[in-house]
Amino acid sequence: RPLPTARGDRADWRGTSRRVGSGSSTIRWSTRSVGERERDGPVACRSRERMNERPSPACGHRVLPHTADVIIEAWGTSRLECLEEAVRALVDSFARVAVAATKPVPIELDEHADDALLVSFLDEVIYVIDVLGGVPANLALAETEDGRVVGSIDLAPLSAVEIHGSPPKGVSLNELSITREDEGRWRCRATIDV
């Protein structure tokens, strides 16, 4: 599993992408630190095959301030990559993770509708943060043949994470969206209650 590596005040992002079985895909990531993103601007992800290349504009996220809330926007070349970036944006909105994950938590989401999947996934991550007292540092997702999303979230202990904002409390259904654009890129947007 990829893990962030400390480099000064930043964590080095590393990840991989691979095919799993016929018609399935897997995305793995490690959370980048706040130092690698602009608070109100886009963040691009790095190529999964060549980690040392410059970031690709094909996927990324940004965190936008909102009255008493936070808006996250994410995009990627696949639905899984878009969900991955949404979780990265959620974490970046309140924490800097620069430590190795210690606790894997399995996830399984049965929602097939894109909006329901986004809400369920973000709610699951918020539940894990709130109840299990950890912050996602690594994520592995796979889409099964029947359209379910399965995987695991590796948590870093909350005591070892730098908190710089209010933790998320829930996902608002107002202005929630996840769509596939004409170019094939996926984009999502969610308002997070803090």
Side-chain angles (χ1 to χ4, degrees):
R1 289 237 152 104
L3 298 172
T5 312
R7 284 194 182 160
D9 66 340
R10 309 192 300 176
D12 183 29
W13 182 84
R14 303 194 186 279
T16 61
S17 174
R18 64 184 172 91
R19 302 292 286 174
V20 178
S22 170
S24 298
S25 60
T26 296
I27 300 290
R28 297 179 188 274
W29 63 274
S30 294
T31 304
R32 286 177 290 194
S33 70
V34 174
E36 289 194 59
R37 69 170 176 82
E38 299 172 34
R39 173 80 177 143
D40 301 322
V43 175
C45 66
R46 296 177 192 248
S47 165
R48 300 312 191 263
E49 287 75 31
R50 292 172 259 179
M51 294 304 129
N52 295 324
E53 286 188 2
R54 299 188 72 188
S56 164
C59 63
H61 68 271
R62 66 181 178 171
V63 177
L64 303 168
H66 187 268
T67 306
D69 297 318
V70 171
I71 295 174
I72 60 170
E73 293 181 346
W75 55 94
T77 58
S78 69
R79 185 170 78 158
L80 289 181
E81 196 170 71
C82 187
L83 291 172
E84 164 202 320
E85 288 293 329
V87 172
R88 183 176 288 127
L90 181 70
V91 171
D92 278 355
S93 73
F94 78 98
R96 176 175 169 249
V97 180
V99 296
T102 59
K103 182 178 182 179
V105 177
I107 57 169
E108 183 173 336
L109 302 167
D110 293 327
E111 288 76 9
H112 295 284
D114 296 329
D115 287 352
L117 178 63
L118 177 61
V119 170
S120 292
F121 189 50
L122 292 175
D123 276 341
E124 183 72 18
V125 172
I126 292 169
Y127 172 82
V128 164
I129 292 166
D130 188 43
V131 174
L132 300 180
V135 177
N138 295 321
L139 173 69
L141 291 180
E143 192 165 354
T144 63
E145 294 289 328
D146 62 357
R148 291 179 302 119
V149 173
V150 297
S152 68
I153 300 171
D154 293 339
L155 299 180
L158 195 56
S159 60
V161 173
E162 181 184 320
I163 304 297
H164 61 78
S166 298
K169 299 296 181 202
V171 180
S172 172
L173 299 179
N174 189 30
E175 297 184 38
L176 178 95
S177 67
I178 180 169
T179 57
R180 185 172 185 198
E181 298 175 335
D182 291 339
E183 310 85 40
R185 183 166 78 165
W186 286 79
R187 181 174 290 278
C188 69
R189 178 182 173 107
T191 301
I192 307 299
D193 300 327
V194 294

